């Protein structure tokens, strides 16, 4: 099964293409080496043959046929010329001198020739290939001067055999390696596919196994596992949000139903009916406000509001928020104040920043200590534009810092205070849209929440 998938995979086809290209390159290199070596060896042989031919021709000019025949006989007897081939033949091809028994068949009357000849006793044993030059002398005799190149022939045959063997060996090794690599690749892909099928069948608790090799496939598996972890977390958040919505809607909807049922069975009373209608409208407004907050957070998280980004002063926005919540703070005898630098510039959406700061101030007033203090501070801190909201209430346990930014999440001590658990979720969405970071710190006592933005370029 795996072998069939290996042979059908695109990786294997690419490997075959690479093997073919590599084989062609190696073959071309060996062909170049072969022909270069052969050409060099033949050139050397041709130069030696040309020199010897000129020497014999001089002897013919000086002493005629007899002098040439005597020189040929002398050369044949000399062991230093054992690899030379000579043949002087009359007009009728009768052998006059030389170490060949007859004129080679099929050779031209003049020019370079190569032929195979039986090994005469005067030639080295095993000689089969001869390269020679022929000419016709003025008296009609024919002269052949050549050299035994059997060694060169054998050498080139060995080069050819070695080249073919190397090319075949490379192709075999490359094929085996490509099949092995492709098989491993297909195996890792199948592992990912198997995990994907298991996830589709049983849920997000499956993970792609790692081989511990820390190669690119392990890195891909790690990233996919991290993605699955993130998806599982998001699915859990969605489930939790659904449960929280159901929980938070149950109370106002139950109250509304109870009031309407009571009014349905009770006699009509104008003043009582007006109060019932007013309370029902207030509960409906709370429900609609909850859905409006969810929609607003989703809109911010999809980054659909960057068109309104401008350079704004956080101090001015914070001043407006403090002025807006001053009356609410006085109702619970909380002292609300603004401190810090006179100008803290950031690039962002003024309305969204106002909402984020307002939610932080509102939370500080609601969950802070009655009769306590809430301080809003704007500072330029080492290239960051920082706005901080501090209270002196019970604060948030360190283990809950990451959870309070989830939708509908509320601390146990906040269950009975007005709200829906969406305020800090909106703050987190606005911070993410603006590339800001949120820091929650212990104010000793109370909570210090800092929003740190990149300062606007001036």
């Amino acid at each position: 099964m795996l072998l069939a998938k290996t042979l059908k995979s695109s990786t294997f086809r690419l490997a075959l293409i690479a093997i073919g290209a590599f084989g062609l390159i190696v073959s071309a290199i060996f062909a170049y080496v072969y022909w270069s070596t052969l050409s060099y060896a033949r050139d050397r042989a041709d130069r030696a043959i040309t020199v010897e031919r000129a020497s014999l021709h001089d002897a013919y000019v000086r002493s005629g046929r007899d002098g040439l025949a005597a020189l040929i006989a002398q050369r044949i007897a000399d062991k230093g010329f054992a690899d030379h081939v000579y043949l002087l033949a009359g007009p009728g091809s009768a052998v006059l001198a030389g170490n060949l028994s007859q004129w080679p068949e099929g050779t031209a009357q003049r020019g370079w020739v190569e032929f195979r000849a039986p090994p005469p006793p005067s030639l080295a044993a095993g000689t089969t290939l001869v390269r020679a030059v022929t000419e016709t002398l003025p008296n009609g005799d024919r002269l052949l001067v050549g050299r035994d190149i059997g060694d060169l022939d054998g050498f080139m045959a060995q080069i050819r055999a070695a080249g073919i063997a190397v090319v075949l060996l490379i192709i075999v090794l490359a094929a085996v390696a490509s099949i092995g690599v492709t098989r491993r690749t297909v195996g890792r892909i199948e592992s990912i596919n198997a995990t994907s099928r298991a996830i589709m069948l049983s849920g997000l608790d499956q993970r792609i196994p790692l081989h511990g090799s820390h190669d690119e496939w392990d890195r891909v598996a790690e990233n996919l596992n991290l993605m699955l972890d993130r998806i599982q977390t998001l699915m859990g958040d969605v489930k939790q949000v659904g449960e929280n919505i159901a929980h938070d809607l149950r109370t106002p909807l139950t109250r509304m139903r109870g009031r309407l049922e009571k009014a349905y069975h009770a006699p009509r009373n104008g003043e009582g009916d007006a109060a019932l209608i007013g309370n029902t409208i207030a509960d409906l407004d709370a429900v609609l406000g909850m859905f409006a907050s969810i929609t607003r957070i989703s809109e911010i998280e999809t980054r659909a509001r960057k068109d309104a980004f401008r350079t704004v002063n956080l101090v001015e926005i914070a001043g407006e928020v403090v002025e807006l919540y001053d009356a609410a703070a006085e109702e619970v005898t909380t002292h609300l104040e603004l401190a810090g630098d006179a100008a803290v510039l950031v690039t962002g959406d003024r309305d969204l920043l106002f909402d984020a700061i307002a939610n932080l101030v509102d939370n500080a007033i609601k969950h802070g200590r009655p009769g306590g203090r809430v301080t809003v501070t704007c500072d330029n801190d080492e290239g960051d534009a920082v706005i901080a909201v501090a209270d002196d209430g019970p604060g948030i346990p360190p283990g809950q810092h990451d959870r309070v930014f989830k939708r509908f999440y509320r601390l146990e001590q906040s269950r009975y205070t007005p709200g829906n658990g969406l305020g800090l979720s909106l703050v987190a969405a606005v911070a993410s849209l603006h590339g800001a970071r949120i820091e929650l710190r212990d104010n000793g006592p109370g909570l210090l929440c800092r929003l740190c933005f990149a300062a606007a370029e001036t």
Side-chain angles (χ1 to χ4, degrees), residues 167-182:
V167 170
L168 291 177
L169 179 61
I170 290 174
I171 291 175
V172 170
L173 291 178
V176 172
S178 63
I179 291 175
V181 172
T182 305

Side-chain angles (χ1 to χ4, degrees), residues 259 272-283 285:
R259 292 192 195 104
D273 289 347
L276 182 145
I277 292 172
N279 291 332
T280 303
I281 290 174
D283 285 339
D285 286 342

Side-chain angles (χ1 to χ4, degrees), residues 93-108:
S93 299
V95 176
L96 302 176
N99 53 5
L100 290 179
S101 59
Q102 63 182 7
W103 190 269
E105 295 182 1
T107 57

